[in-house]
Amino acid sequence: MVADQASTASVEKKGAIIYEAKDLESGSVHDNNSFEHEDDPNKSWFQNLVDGFREYKLEDLDPSLTPAERAAIATARSPLKRHLKNRHLQMIAIGGSIGTGLFVGSGKALRVGGPAGVIIAWILTGSMVYSVVQALGELAVTLPVSGSYMSYVSRFIEPSFGFAIAYNYLLGNLITMPLEIVAASLTVSYWDVPKKYADAFVALFYIVIVAINLFGVKGYGEAEFVFSIVKVLAIIGFIILGIVLICGGGPNSDGYIGAKYWHNPGGFAHGFKGFAAIFVTSAFSFAGTEMFALAAAETKNPRRDLPRAAKQVFWRITLFYIISLTLIGCLVPYTNKHLFAATSVDATASPFVIAIKDAGIKGLPSVINVVILIAVLSVGNSCIFAGSRTVLSLSQYGYLPKSFGYVDRKGRPLVGLVLCIIFGLLSFLSASSKRSDVFDWMLAISGLSSFFTWGSVCICHLRFRRGLSVQGRSTDELAFKAQTGVWGSIYGIVLILVALIFQFWVALFPIGGKPSAETFFSAYLSLPVVLFFYICHKLYTRNWKLLIDAKDLDLDTGRREVDLELLKQEIREEKEYISSKPIWYRTYRFWC
């Protein structure tokens, strides 16, 4: 009881600092839950537009605070707009990571690993990602701060590791955005569009993505809502069509197909090594799953909406990935010549397109290509959103100059957006004859970024739970507890280490090739990059601690509910309400 009172007092003390933010220009005090800037009806639309780009200035923090406390409070009180609703988070969670990794990358995975290897790899990776998302959901619901998992790493592990992970994540988004824009322009070539128009499509897609993000988080949320609906409908439609084709439907049908291709040419393409090689491919297809948590600081009601978004991952893994890929393995043999297409964004290399074409269905492959195009643009849109928020977080932690933390009155991290927009201009390298070499090495820099991000999330979750235990507090104060618990985070870390070992093995001894330095670093360059950032930060700060002591972990700054006793009472009432309902409702609430 004494510990609970102490922790409540701690939250209330910090809450006074965090949740009363004054706009220095107007002199008015704003509740940090809104930070709303209303347009002045006495000004013209142009004047209000200009005013919207002006900085939202907050009162300076107490200079007596430690750097760690200042950073924690800065991320908690960021004046980002909380415009994301439950429907936005649901669709971001369900369709956020459905992209080229599933629609096109699964083709290469099928060729290298075979249908059995694909299913096993995606099930294992999916279970790992589910554990990661559950852990991240617990952290994000408790502490919905800007920068999300980047902030958690510096706060619950130690600053140098947070610095390295954050910069690796930032590089991944800055590099992926121009790559996805180029990929979108190449996707259009499916319709035999002349190559001379490629640059025009690059410019068009670049403008579209930039325009969406200039509308702020509301623009991002609405765009992802529409993109995700299209992708989800496409997957559901394919599942229905796939079942019909397997049962013998379709113009070119020779009767019931069933598991014919699992017997000839077989379930595995290159044995265990083939399975090991596609493990990273399967992980790449889940990249972006964590995006819902990055938006926690811009969510109206994270305590209600984030748990539902985290739980939706189970359905996405089961329905969209496992079922669709099982059908693909039955419809397309891994020896199909179209799986050997030259580029990873070539729609002709998509097993979804191949299955439909081989069935003799006309017109529908073009529809799938449109979905692939939308998926590519969705990833580019998410990259500029994530990149700009990462820049803001880096600035708040002192890893970038203070000017990079500029947030305007519309809640846009403007300098971060500008930086991402400038990096997006790299997409025009598509006109260069050396574009393949440049893009391959750019991609290599962040090739393992998702593994480092997911691994750090699991470690943060374990450290957060350890901090609660050491400081005499319990999980009763958590509005959402990871369904997988601490063992889920341990499981996630183990599988991530296994994946990194597999990738090292395949990078060193590639399938069908000889060992070479170029092949190895093109697949494993991101690890030296992370180590470089980590060591540089250690040398600069001369802070040689590997972990922050569990008793010193800040478990409170950033909470929106500052009265822990009231929060515990509300949690108990919610549990009692759910337990009083029929079993079908309790089951639904557990999974959804």
Side-chain angles (χ1 to χ4, degrees):
M1 186 67 183
V2 175
D4 287 341
Q5 292 174 347
S7 61
T8 301
S10 173
V11 176
E12 290 174 345
K13 179 182 178 182
K14 291 176 181 176
I17 302 174
I18 297 169
Y19 293 101
E20 287 189 4
K22 182 181 291 186
D23 184 341
L24 296 185
E25 192 166 324
S26 66
S28 59
V29 175
H30 298 261
D31 175 11
N32 198 64
N33 286 319
S34 60
F35 286 112
E36 292 295 337
H37 169 75
E38 301 293 340
D39 290 339
D40 189 342
N42 297 320
K43 293 183 179 180
S44 66
W45 69 269
F46 181 76
Q47 288 176 311
N48 281 317
L49 178 67
V50 173
D51 286 344
F53 285 96
R54 292 180 179 174
E55 184 178 8
Y56 196 114
K57 296 181 178 179
L58 300 173
E59 284 187 308
D60 291 334
L61 294 172
D62 187 345
S64 65
L65 295 172
T66 66
E69 289 173 333
R70 292 173 64 85
I73 294 173
T75 57
R77 70 169 194 167
S78 289
L80 298 170
K81 296 293 184 182
R82 293 173 183 169
H83 284 161
L84 288 180
K85 302 176 182 177
N86 181 48
R87 65 182 178 89
H88 295 133
L89 281 181
Q90 292 300 314
M91 294 314 297
I92 290 172
I94 294 174
S97 68
I98 299 177
T100 54
L102 176 63
F103 288 117
V104 183
S106 57
K108 179 182 178 182
L110 180 61
R111 171 170 58 86
V112 175
V118 166
I119 297 302
I120 295 172
W122 257 264
I123 287 176
L124 286 176
T125 310
S127 64
M128 175 189 72
V129 172
Y130 181 67
S131 298
V132 171
V133 169
Q134 286 290 312
L136 186 55
E138 179 178 308
L139 293 171
V141 171
T142 306
L143 301 166
V145 299
S146 67
S148 185
Y149 28 88
M150 283 78 69
S151 301
Y152 301 147
V153 177
S154 293
R155 187 165 166 175
F156 296 131
I157 303 177
E158 64 94 27
S160 295
F161 194 59
F163 177 84
I165 294 297
Y167 264 99
N168 181 256
Y169 188 79
L170 175 61
L171 282 175
N173 285 289
L174 292 178
I175 290 169
T176 303
M177 178 196 169
L179 289 176
E180 294 298 328
I181 292 174
V182 173
S185 68
L186 293 176
T187 304
V188 178
S189 64
Y190 177 81
W191 294 290
D192 296 325
V193 175
K195 291 184 178 180
K196 63 181 180 180
Y197 296 122
D199 289 344
F201 278 107
V202 168
L204 174 63
F205 297 141
Y206 175 80
I207 291 171
V208 169
I209 291 176
V210 169
I212 289 173
N213 281 274
L214 285 179
F215 281 100
V217 68
K218 185 177 288 187
Y220 165 76
E222 294 296 344
E224 283 303 304
F225 181 76
V226 174
F227 290 158
S228 295
I229 285 178
V230 172
K231 291 185 286 185
V232 167
L233 290 177
I235 293 293
I236 294 174
F238 178 82
I239 289 173
I240 296 172
L241 175 63
I243 294 173
V244 172
L245 295 178
I246 290 173
C247 292
N252 294 346
S253 174
D254 293 327
Y256 179 74
I257 299 174
K260 178 174 68 174
Y261 297 130
W262 283 64
H263 298 285
N264 183 24
F268 294 93
H270 294 91
F272 182 75
K273 193 170 186 178
F275 162 73
I278 66 172
F279 206 80
V280 174
T281 304
S282 64
F284 172 74
S285 72
F286 286 101
T289 306
E290 71 284 345
M291 196 64 67
F292 79 95
L294 189 63
E298 296 167 86
T299 303
K300 285 189 173 182
N301 192 340
R303 180 181 159 192
R304 181 195 66 193
D305 298 338
L306 287 176
R308 294 182 180 179
K311 292 175 183 179
Q312 291 293 331
V313 174
F314 172 81
W315 298 108
R316 179 171 61 206
I317 293 169
T318 303
L319 181 63
F320 300 139
Y321 284 86
I322 307 305
I323 295 179
S324 61
L325 290 174
T326 300
L327 296 175
I328 285 295
C330 293
L331 292 170
V332 183
Y334 67 75
T335 53
N336 189 294
K337 62 180 181 179
H338 296 294
L339 293 175
F340 294 80
T343 62
S344 60
V345 292
D346 190 345
T348 59
S350 168
F352 292 82
V353 172
I354 293 170
I356 295 171
K357 271 190 169 183
D358 289 350
I361 302 174
K362 297 181 179 180
L364 198 54
S366 290
V367 175
I368 295 296
N369 198 57
V370 171
V371 176
I372 293 173
L373 178 60
I374 290 174
V376 171
L377 292 176
S378 174
V379 175
N381 182 46
S382 296
C383 284
I384 195 171
F385 173 83
S388 60
R389 272 63 183 176
T390 306
V391 170
L392 173 62
S393 179
L394 284 166
S395 174
Q396 290 167 334
Y397 269 86
Y399 301 156
L400 278 174
K402 188 177 179 180
S403 58
F404 281 77
Y406 186 106
V407 179
D408 67 18
R409 294 185 175 188
K410 293 295 184 181
R412 294 167 293 204
L414 211 55
V415 176
L417 282 174
V418 170
L419 182 63
C420 292
I421 290 170
I422 292 173
F423 261 83
L425 294 172
L426 290 174
S427 57
F428 290 97
L429 285 173
S430 61
S432 169
S433 60
K434 297 290 185 181
R435 63 181 180 276
S436 296
D437 294 334
V438 174
F439 287 146
D440 285 347
W441 284 108
M442 286 170 57
L443 188 60
I445 293 175
S446 59
L448 300 175
S449 177
S450 293
F451 285 117
F452 298 136
T453 300
W454 296 338
S456 65
V457 166
C458 291
I459 297 173
C460 285
H461 181 234
L462 294 175
R463 295 281 296 157
F464 175 72
R465 287 291 189 94
R466 177 63 179 164
L468 283 175
S469 176
V470 169
Q471 295 179 27
R473 299 162 65 170
S474 73
T475 57
D476 292 340
E477 66 183 60
L478 302 180
F480 172 69
K481 287 183 282 190
Q483 294 172 325
T484 52
V486 294
W487 287 107
S489 294
I490 294 172
Y491 171 76
I493 292 171
V494 170
L495 274 192
I496 288 169
L497 291 175
V498 169
L500 291 175
I501 292 171
F502 282 172
Q503 179 70 348
F504 184 86
W505 177 35
V506 175
L508 200 58
F509 303 102
I511 295 176
K514 296 181 179 180
S516 69
E518 181 178 350
T519 302
F520 176 79
F521 282 108
S522 64
Y524 229 79
L525 182 61
S526 50
L527 178 58
V529 170
V530 170
L531 292 176
F532 172 78
F533 281 122
Y534 178 79
I535 294 171
C536 285
H537 190 268
K538 282 292 183 189
L539 293 173
Y540 179 77
T541 60
R542 299 188 182 279
N543 177 12
W544 308 113
K545 289 188 68 173
L546 297 179
L547 284 174
I548 300 173
D549 292 337
K551 61 181 178 61
D552 297 326
L553 294 177
D554 181 359
L555 308 176
D556 299 317
T557 305
R559 286 178 180 262
R560 293 190 188 176
E561 297 89 355
V562 295
D563 189 336
L564 293 186
E565 288 304 317
L566 178 61
L567 174 62
K568 290 179 181 180
Q569 180 181 343
E570 292 176 354
I571 293 172
R572 285 194 297 268
E573 291 174 354
E574 289 174 4
K575 289 181 178 179
E576 290 172 0
Y577 172 76
I578 294 174
S579 63
S580 67
K581 294 293 182 180
I583 187 170
W584 68 265
Y585 181 81
R586 297 199 302 271
T587 304
Y588 169 78
R589 286 298 300 269
F590 179 83
W591 291 113
C592 301

CSV table of all heavy atoms in Angstrom, one decimal, residues 259-291:
chain,number,residue,atom,x,y,z
A,259,ALA,N,-3.5,-30.8,-53.0
A,259,ALA,CA,-2.0,-30.6,-52.6
A,259,ALA,C,-1.1,-31.3,-53.6
A,259,ALA,O,0.0,-31.7,-53.3
A,259,ALA,CB,-1.8,-31.2,-51.2
A,260,LYS,N,-1.5,-31.2,-54.9
A,260,LYS,CA,-0.7,-31.9,-56.0
A,260,LYS,C,0.8,-31.4,-56.0
A,260,LYS,O,1.7,-32.2,-56.1
A,260,LYS,CB,-1.3,-31.7,-57.3
A,260,LYS,CG,-0.6,-32.3,-58.5
A,260,LYS,CD,-1.3,-32.1,-59.8
A,260,LYS,CE,-1.5,-30.7,-60.2
A,260,LYS,NZ,-2.1,-30.6,-61.6
A,261,TYR,N,0.9,-30.1,-55.9
A,261,TYR,CA,2.3,-29.5,-56.0
A,261,TYR,C,3.1,-29.7,-54.7
A,261,TYR,O,4.3,-29.5,-54.7
A,261,TYR,CB,2.2,-28.0,-56.3
A,261,TYR,CG,1.5,-27.7,-57.7
A,261,TYR,CD1,0.5,-26.8,-57.8
A,261,TYR,CD2,1.9,-28.4,-58.8
A,261,TYR,CE1,-0.1,-26.6,-59.0
A,261,TYR,CE2,1.3,-28.2,-60.0
A,261,TYR,CZ,0.3,-27.3,-60.1
A,261,TYR,OH,-0.3,-27.0,-61.4
A,262,TRP,N,2.5,-30.1,-53.6
A,262,TRP,CA,3.2,-30.5,-52.4
A,262,TRP,C,3.9,-31.8,-52.6
A,262,TRP,O,4.9,-32.1,-52.0
A,262,TRP,CB,2.3,-30.5,-51.2
A,262,TRP,CG,1.9,-29.2,-50.7
A,262,TRP,CD1,1.2,-28.3,-51.4
A,262,TRP,CD2,2.2,-28.6,-49.4
A,262,TRP,NE1,1.0,-27.1,-50.6
A,262,TRP,CE2,1.6,-27.4,-49.4
A,262,TRP,CE3,2.9,-29.1,-48.3
A,262,TRP,CZ2,1.7,-26.5,-48.3
A,262,TRP,CZ3,3.0,-28.3,-47.2
A,262,TRP,CH2,2.4,-27.0,-47.2
A,263,HIS,N,3.4,-32.6,-53.6
A,263,HIS,CA,4.1,-33.9,-53.9
A,263,HIS,C,5.0,-33.8,-55.0
A,263,HIS,O,6.1,-34.4,-55.1
A,263,HIS,CB,3.0,-34.9,-54.1
A,263,HIS,CG,2.1,-35.2,-53.0
A,263,HIS,ND1,2.4,-35.9,-51.9
A,263,HIS,CD2,0.8,-34.8,-52.8
A,263,HIS,CE1,1.4,-36.0,-51.0
A,263,HIS,NE2,0.4,-35.3,-51.5
A,264,ASN,N,4.6,-33.0,-56.0
A,264,ASN,CA,5.5,-32.8,-57.2
A,264,ASN,C,5.4,-31.4,-57.7
A,264,ASN,O,4.3,-31.0,-58.1
A,264,ASN,CB,5.0,-33.8,-58.3
A,264,ASN,CG,5.9,-33.7,-59.6
A,264,ASN,OD1,7.1,-33.3,-59.5
A,264,ASN,ND2,5.4,-34.0,-60.7
A,265,PRO,N,6.4,-30.6,-57.5
A,265,PRO,CA,7.8,-30.9,-57.2
A,265,PRO,C,8.2,-31.2,-55.8
A,265,PRO,O,9.3,-31.6,-55.5
A,265,PRO,CB,8.6,-29.7,-57.8
A,265,PRO,CG,7.6,-28.6,-57.6
A,265,PRO,CD,6.2,-29.1,-57.8
A,266,GLY,N,7.3,-30.9,-54.8
A,266,GLY,CA,7.6,-31.2,-53.4
A,266,GLY,C,7.3,-30.1,-52.5
A,266,GLY,O,7.0,-28.9,-52.9
A,267,GLY,N,7.5,-30.3,-51.2
A,267,GLY,CA,7.2,-29.3,-50.2
A,267,GLY,C,8.3,-28.4,-49.9
A,267,GLY,O,8.1,-27.2,-49.5
A,268,PHE,N,9.6,-28.9,-50.1
A,268,PHE,CA,10.7,-28.0,-49.8
A,268,PHE,C,11.6,-27.9,-51.0
A,268,PHE,O,11.8,-28.9,-51.7
A,268,PHE,CB,11.6,-28.6,-48.7
A,268,PHE,CG,10.9,-28.6,-47.3
A,268,PHE,CD1,10.2,-29.7,-46.9
A,268,PHE,CD2,11.0,-27.5,-46.5
A,268,PHE,CE1,9.5,-29.7,-45.7
A,268,PHE,CE2,10.4,-27.5,-45.3
A,268,PHE,CZ,9.6,-28.6,-44.8
A,269,ALA,N,12.0,-26.7,-51.3
A,269,ALA,CA,12.8,-26.4,-52.6
A,269,ALA,C,14.3,-26.7,-52.3
A,269,ALA,O,14.9,-27.3,-53.2
A,269,ALA,CB,12.6,-25.0,-53.0
A,270,HIS,N,14.9,-26.2,-51.3
A,270,HIS,CA,16.3,-26.4,-51.0
A,270,HIS,C,16.5,-26.9,-49.6
A,270,HIS,O,17.5,-26.5,-48.9
A,270,HIS,CB,17.0,-25.1,-51.2
A,270,HIS,CG,17.0,-24.6,-52.6
A,270,HIS,ND1,16.0,-23.8,-53.1
A,270,HIS,CD2,17.9,-24.9,-53.7
A,270,HIS,CE1,16.3,-23.5,-54.4
A,270,HIS,NE2,17.4,-24.2,-54.8
A,271,GLY,N,15.6,-27.7,-49.1
A,271,GLY,CA,15.8,-28.3,-47.8
A,271,GLY,C,15.8,-27.3,-46.7
A,271,GLY,O,15.2,-26.2,-46.7
A,272,PHE,N,16.6,-27.6,-45.6
A,272,PHE,CA,16.6,-26.7,-44.4
A,272,PHE,C,17.2,-25.4,-44.8
A,272,PHE,O,16.8,-24.4,-44.2
A,272,PHE,CB,17.4,-27.4,-43.3
A,272,PHE,CG,17.4,-26.6,-42.0
A,272,PHE,CD1,16.3,-26.5,-41.2
A,272,PHE,CD2,18.6,-25.9,-41.7
A,272,PHE,CE1,16.4,-25.8,-40.0
A,272,PHE,CE2,18.6,-25.1,-40.5
A,272,PHE,CZ,17.5,-25.1,-39.7
A,273,LYS,N,18.2,-25.4,-45.6
A,273,LYS,CA,18.9,-24.1,-46.0
A,273,LYS,C,17.9,-23.2,-46.7
A,273,LYS,O,17.9,-22.0,-46.5
A,273,LYS,CB,20.1,-24.3,-46.8
A,273,LYS,CG,21.0,-23.1,-46.9
A,273,LYS,CD,22.3,-23.5,-47.6
A,273,LYS,CE,23.3,-22.3,-47.6
A,273,LYS,NZ,24.6,-22.6,-48.1
A,274,GLY,N,17.0,-23.8,-47.5
A,274,GLY,CA,16.0,-23.0,-48.2
A,274,GLY,C,15.1,-22.3,-47.2
A,274,GLY,O,14.7,-21.2,-47.3
A,275,PHE,N,14.7,-23.1,-46.2
A,275,PHE,CA,13.8,-22.6,-45.1
A,275,PHE,C,14.5,-21.5,-44.4
A,275,PHE,O,13.9,-20.4,-44.1
A,275,PHE,CB,13.4,-23.7,-44.2
A,275,PHE,CG,12.9,-23.2,-42.8
A,275,PHE,CD1,11.7,-22.7,-42.7
A,275,PHE,CD2,13.7,-23.3,-41.7
A,275,PHE,CE1,11.2,-22.2,-41.5
A,275,PHE,CE2,13.3,-22.9,-40.5
A,275,PHE,CZ,12.0,-22.3,-40.4
A,276,ALA,N,15.8,-21.7,-44.0
A,276,ALA,CA,16.6,-20.6,-43.3
A,276,ALA,C,16.7,-19.4,-44.1
A,276,ALA,O,16.6,-18.3,-43.6
A,276,ALA,CB,18.0,-21.2,-43.0
A,277,ALA,N,16.8,-19.5,-45.5
A,277,ALA,CA,17.0,-18.4,-46.3
A,277,ALA,C,15.7,-17.5,-46.4
A,277,ALA,O,15.8,-16.3,-46.6
A,277,ALA,CB,17.4,-18.8,-47.7
A,278,ILE,N,14.5,-18.1,-46.3
A,278,ILE,CA,13.3,-17.3,-46.4
A,278,ILE,C,12.8,-16.8,-45.1
A,278,ILE,O,11.8,-16.1,-45.0
A,278,ILE,CB,12.2,-18.1,-47.1
A,278,ILE,CG1,11.8,-19.3,-46.3
A,278,ILE,CG2,12.7,-18.6,-48.5
A,278,ILE,CD1,10.6,-20.0,-46.8
A,279,PHE,N,13.5,-17.2,-44.0
A,279,PHE,CA,13.0,-16.7,-42.7
A,279,PHE,C,13.0,-15.2,-42.6
A,279,PHE,O,12.1,-14.6,-42.1
A,279,PHE,CB,13.9,-17.3,-41.6
A,279,PHE,CG,13.2,-17.4,-40.3
A,279,PHE,CD1,12.4,-18.5,-40.0
A,279,PHE,CD2,13.4,-16.5,-39.3
A,279,PHE,CE1,11.7,-18.6,-38.8
A,279,PHE,CE2,12.8,-16.6,-38.0
A,279,PHE,CZ,11.9,-17.7,-37.8
A,280,VAL,N,14.1,-14.6,-43.1
A,280,VAL,CA,14.1,-13.1,-43.2
A,280,VAL,C,13.1,-12.5,-44.1
A,280,VAL,O,12.5,-11.5,-43.8
A,280,VAL,CB,15.5,-12.6,-43.6
A,280,VAL,CG1,15.6,-11.1,-43.7
A,280,VAL,CG2,16.6,-13.1,-42.5
A,281,THR,N,12.8,-13.2,-45.2
A,281,THR,CA,11.8,-12.7,-46.2
A,281,THR,C,10.4,-12.7,-45.5
A,281,THR,O,9.7,-11.8,-45.7
A,281,THR,CB,11.7,-13.7,-47.4
A,281,THR,OG1,13.0,-13.8,-48.0
A,281,THR,CG2,10.7,-13.2,-48.4
A,282,SER,N,10.1,-13.7,-44.7
A,282,SER,CA,8.9,-13.8,-44.0
A,282,SER,C,8.8,-12.6,-43.0
A,282,SER,O,7.7,-12.0,-42.8
A,282,SER,CB,8.7,-15.1,-43.3
A,282,SER,OG,9.6,-15.3,-42.3
A,283,ALA,N,9.9,-12.4,-42.3
A,283,ALA,CA,9.9,-11.2,-41.3
A,283,ALA,C,9.7,-9.9,-42.0
A,283,ALA,O,9.0,-9.0,-41.5
A,283,ALA,CB,11.2,-11.2,-40.6
A,284,PHE,N,10.3,-9.8,-43.2
A,284,PHE,CA,10.2,-8.5,-44.0
A,284,PHE,C,8.7,-8.3,-44.3
A,284,PHE,O,8.3,-7.1,-44.3
A,284,PHE,CB,11.0,-8.6,-45.3
A,284,PHE,CG,10.8,-7.5,-46.2
A,284,PHE,CD1,11.3,-6.2,-46.0
A,284,PHE,CD2,10.0,-7.6,-47.4
A,284,PHE,CE1,11.1,-5.1,-46.8
A,284,PHE,CE2,9.8,-6.6,-48.2
A,284,PHE,CZ,10.3,-5.3,-48.0
A,285,SER,N,8.0,-9.3,-44.6
A,285,SER,CA,6.6,-9.1,-44.9
A,285,SER,C,5.7,-8.6,-43.8
A,285,SER,O,4.6,-8.1,-44.0
A,285,SER,CB,5.9,-10.5,-45.4
A,285,SER,OG,5.8,-11.4,-44.4
A,286,PHE,N,6.2,-8.8,-42.5
A,286,PHE,CA,5.5,-8.3,-41.4
A,286,PHE,C,6.0,-6.9,-40.9
A,286,PHE,O,5.6,-6.3,-40.0
A,286,PHE,CB,5.7,-9.2,-40.2
A,286,PHE,CG,4.9,-10.5,-40.3
A,286,PHE,CD1,5.5,-11.7,-40.7
A,286,PHE,CD2,3.6,-10.5,-40.0
A,286,PHE,CE1,4.8,-12.8,-40.8
A,286,PHE,CE2,2.8,-11.7,-40.1
A,286,PHE,CZ,3.4,-12.8,-40.5
A,287,ALA,N,7.0,-6.3,-41.7
A,287,ALA,CA,7.6,-5.0,-41.3
A,287,ALA,C,6.4,-4.0,-41.4
A,287,ALA,O,5.6,-3.9,-42.3
A,287,ALA,CB,8.7,-4.6,-42.3
A,288,GLY,N,6.4,-3.2,-40.3
A,288,GLY,CA,5.3,-2.2,-40.2
A,288,GLY,C,4.2,-2.5,-39.3
A,288,GLY,O,3.3,-1.7,-39.0
A,289,THR,N,4.2,-3.8,-38.8
A,289,THR,CA,3.2,-4.3,-37.8
A,289,THR,C,3.2,-3.4,-36.6
A,289,THR,O,2.2,-3.2,-36.0
A,289,THR,CB,3.5,-5.7,-37.4
A,289,THR,OG1,3.6,-6.5,-38.6
A,289,THR,CG2,2.4,-6.2,-36.5
A,290,GLU,N,4.4,-2.9,-36.2
A,290,GLU,CA,4.5,-2.1,-35.0
A,290,GLU,C,4.0,-0.6,-35.2
A,290,GLU,O,4.1,0.2,-34.2
A,290,GLU,CB,6.0,-2.0,-34.6
A,290,GLU,CG,6.9,-1.2,-35.5
A,290,GLU,CD,7.3,-1.9,-36.8
A,290,GLU,OE1,7.1,-3.1,-36.9
A,290,GLU,OE2,7.8,-1.2,-37.7
A,291,MET,N,3.6,-0.3,-36.4
A,291,MET,CA,3.3,1.1,-36.7
A,291,MET,C,2.1,1.7,-35.8
A,291,MET,O,2.1,2.9,-35.5
A,291,MET,CB,2.9,1.3,-38.1
A,291,MET,CG,2.9,2.7,-38.7
A,291,MET,SD,4.5,3.4,-38.7
A,291,MET,CE,5.3,2.4,-39.9
